[in-house]
Amino acid sequence: MEGAKAATEPPAGGKLESALLQIMQQHHNQSIRQRQQTERVKKNAVRSASRVAGHLVEAVDGGVQELFVNEKRIELEARALLGTITRYRKQTDQWLAATNAVNSVLKEIGDFENWMKIMDFDCKSVNAAIRNIHRS
């Protein structure tokens, strides 16, 4: 019986070797599947990261472009404001000169009026002196 058993059953080392080969084959196949899955996930992650980066760049570029347009508009408005300020300063200087001229004229009128009063007083004094002389 033992001899018959030995003939029908493969040697114990052969079963072990076959089991180890099967385990190695399964491990190899599982490693290949795992590697393929990892590559797919990696490619999807790279694609997703690329899309996110693209959207971020578009968002930032849009904001930067808007800021650039606003900056140019502010610069133009500042230049226009500077021109307006210069024009108003010149106009204010002209008004100041005209006001000073009017003040000078008014002062001269006041001086002339004062001179006229003095002349009137002097004429009256001379007239009174001549009358006094004529009466005496």
Side-chain angles (χ1 to χ4, degrees):
M1 243 194 205
E2 288 182 15
K5 244 183 181 185
T8 60
E9 291 183 9
K15 273 184 168 180
L16 184 59
E17 189 176 316
S18 159
L20 285 175
L21 282 174
Q22 185 179 2
I23 291 173
M24 282 180 54
Q25 187 65 31
Q26 286 174 351
H27 175 70
H28 179 68
N29 289 339
Q30 189 177 7
S31 291
I32 289 173
R33 280 193 306 273
Q34 186 73 30
R35 206 174 300 131
Q36 289 172 345
Q37 184 181 3
T38 302
E39 281 297 317
R40 277 194 307 272
V41 169
K42 181 179 173 184
K43 285 180 184 177
N44 286 340
V46 167
R47 253 192 312 259
S48 294
S50 177
R51 275 186 291 193
V52 167
H55 289 306
L56 288 174
V57 167
E58 287 175 10
V60 169
D61 282 349
V64 168
Q65 184 178 7
E66 185 179 339
L67 288 175
F68 182 73
V69 168
N70 286 342
E71 180 184 8
K72 289 298 179 187
R73 188 175 42 124
I74 288 171
E75 284 178 10
L76 290 175
E77 289 178 11
R79 286 185 188 140
L81 184 60
L82 185 60
T84 302
I85 289 170
T86 303
R87 192 174 68 244
Y88 285 156
R89 190 182 73 224
K90 287 179 183 177
Q91 190 175 20
T92 303
D93 289 344
Q94 290 173 349
W95 287 346
L96 185 61
T99 304
N100 287 337
V102 167
N103 283 342
S104 293
V105 168
L106 289 175
K107 184 178 176 190
E108 289 175 8
I109 289 173
D111 290 346
F112 179 73
E113 184 180 359
N114 189 37
W115 179 78
M116 288 294 291
K117 286 179 182 176
I118 292 172
M119 289 302 288
D120 183 48
F121 179 75
D122 286 348
C123 287
K124 285 179 182 176
S125 296
V126 168
N127 190 15
I130 291 175
R131 275 194 193 145
N132 285 338
I133 292 173
H134 189 276
R135 283 188 207 158
S136 349

